[in-house]
Amino acid sequence: MDNTRVNRRARTALALAAGTVLTVTIGQLPAGATAAPAAPHRAAAASVTQHASISTGTSDAASYDDASDADDYYKDADGKTGQALKESLHRIISTTQTGKLTYDQVWDALKDTDQDPDNSANVILLYSGRSQSKEAHGGNPDDWNREHVWAKSHGDFGTDTGPGTDLHHLRPEDVSVNSVRGDKDFDNGGTAVDGAPGSRSDDDSFEPRDAVKGDVARMILYMAVRYDGGDGFADLEPNDKVDNGTQPHIGRLSVLKQWSKQDPPDSFEKHRNQVIFDKYQHNRNPFIDHPEWVDSIW
């Protein structure tokens, strides 16, 4: 990417809600660096309750101050479908990922990417939907920790820099709820999960609350495109099974596709994608910008 594109990308503006625009003016960080948290974004959601119900229903790419910027990022994917589209998106999101974090740096990054737009001292927990102090993290039952949405045992990539520290699938979550999820695949059904209203779980699967079903699906599909067997890591692929164990697969794909349609990208998810792009990894989740590509590939 030439300097003109980098400078223009640093001025990217993301339309987060009905005519409201957040303008980011931050330079690109060196690989592995961690930026200071951004100021709270008031337009991302008016409250925790509203965040839980936001669903824009749009499939447009995130808005930019220069309309050509969105086309520029994905230009090599134009007109492609199926495997060709997947391979093109892999090249785009892997070559632009110039920032990679250590597992320790993920703590501070999540305080920024998942900041409660109504309270800058808190983060929003993924499955629980609860707003919790940024500093209440660790290993105690009511703390929050770093949830790997693509369970790290599915492909055995651990917490090394790479898929184990990729912010596009790492989210804050209550320690106890995270323990219930464990390394289960995703599917519908089960019994209610204490501490995560609307989430359900059984012996081999986990169902997140409705407001983040699409978020989960798009994170899983991002991982499948980003990690294809290169970088010294396993080739991650979704399948239509549960109980995948340590295989580099996670399911159910048919359910994830349904969830992506049911819960389109909302302003919180789009803002999160933008923060990761601007301040940390400098790559994007294409299924947030173009949810229609889910069906184009799978």
Side-chain angles (χ1 to χ4, degrees):
M1 181 180 294
D2 62 28
N3 289 335
T4 300
R5 287 176 61 190
V6 171
N7 291 335
R8 188 171 60 199
R9 187 181 69 187
R11 297 193 300 271
T12 302
L14 174 65
L16 296 171
T20 305
V21 177
L22 168 69
T23 303
V24 180
T25 54
I26 184 164
Q28 186 174 8
L29 298 178
T34 302
H41 187 275
R42 295 185 175 90
S47 68
V48 175
T49 302
Q50 285 183 332
H51 164 66
S53 62
I54 289 173
S55 181
T56 64
T58 62
S59 60
D60 296 334
S63 297
Y64 294 74
D65 57 350
D66 181 342
S68 66
D69 283 347
D71 295 334
D72 192 48
Y73 187 77
Y74 294 115
K75 66 180 181 180
D76 291 341
D78 286 350
K80 296 177 181 176
T81 60
Q83 186 64 24
L85 175 59
K86 185 181 179 188
E87 291 174 357
S88 180
L89 292 177
H90 168 75
R91 287 191 295 271
I92 292 168
I93 65 178
S94 59
T95 59
T96 59
Q97 188 182 352
T98 56
K100 296 182 180 181
L101 281 67
T102 67
Y103 199 45
D104 282 341
Q105 289 174 325
V106 168
W107 287 119
D108 286 337
L110 292 181
K111 294 176 185 179
D112 189 5
T113 60
D114 290 73
Q115 178 174 288
D116 181 348
D118 223 28
N119 183 348
S120 63
N122 287 10
V123 292
I124 300 292
L125 307 188
L126 176 63
Y127 306 130
S128 303
R130 186 171 75 244
S131 179
Q132 181 157 320
S133 169
K134 291 179 177 179
E135 303 313 314
H137 65 78
N140 295 321
D142 293 327
D143 287 343
W144 65 267
N145 60 6
R146 298 158 291 185
E147 155 70 336
H148 289 82
V149 177
W150 184 295
K152 59 183 180 291
S153 63
H154 291 233
D156 194 28
F157 51 75
T159 58
D160 292 338
T161 296
T165 64
D166 195 312
L167 291 175
H168 282 295
H169 86 119
L170 282 161
R171 301 290 291 268
E173 185 47 61
D174 176 272
V175 168
S176 299
V177 174
N178 200 359
S179 179
V180 173
R181 191 273 155 130
D183 63 355
K184 295 173 183 175
D185 294 85
F186 292 103
D187 199 0
N188 292 313
T191 58
V193 176
D194 187 31
S199 298
R200 306 175 70 83
S201 186
D202 57 25
D203 290 341
D204 57 18
S205 69
F206 189 89
E207 177 185 354
R209 60 194 177 101
D210 287 348
V212 295
K213 279 183 165 69
D215 305 51
V216 166
R218 287 180 284 273
M219 285 186 278
I220 292 295
L221 299 179
Y222 160 87
M223 292 291 283
V225 171
R226 172 62 185 87
Y227 299 99
D228 68 348
D231 303 320
F233 298 104
D235 182 1
L236 305 183
E237 284 295 334
N239 62 14
D240 214 34
K241 301 178 181 179
V242 294
D243 207 11
N244 276 293
T246 60
Q247 295 298 310
H249 307 301
I250 207 161
R252 298 184 180 265
L253 177 58
S254 59
V255 173
L256 294 171
K257 290 175 64 178
Q258 179 187 49
W259 288 355
S260 185
K261 291 177 182 177
Q262 174 185 332
D263 173 39
D266 63 18
S267 56
F268 187 93
E269 188 181 2
K270 290 178 180 180
H271 175 55
R272 188 177 195 279
N273 193 31
Q274 193 69 34
V275 172
I276 294 171
F277 176 72
D278 285 325
K279 298 177 66 173
Y280 296 101
Q281 296 183 184
H282 314 303
N283 69 342
R284 305 183 67 83
N285 182 332
F287 304 110
I288 296 174
D289 295 327
H290 288 277
E292 73 277 6
W293 282 344
V294 172
D295 283 339
S296 294
I297 294 175
W298 289 281

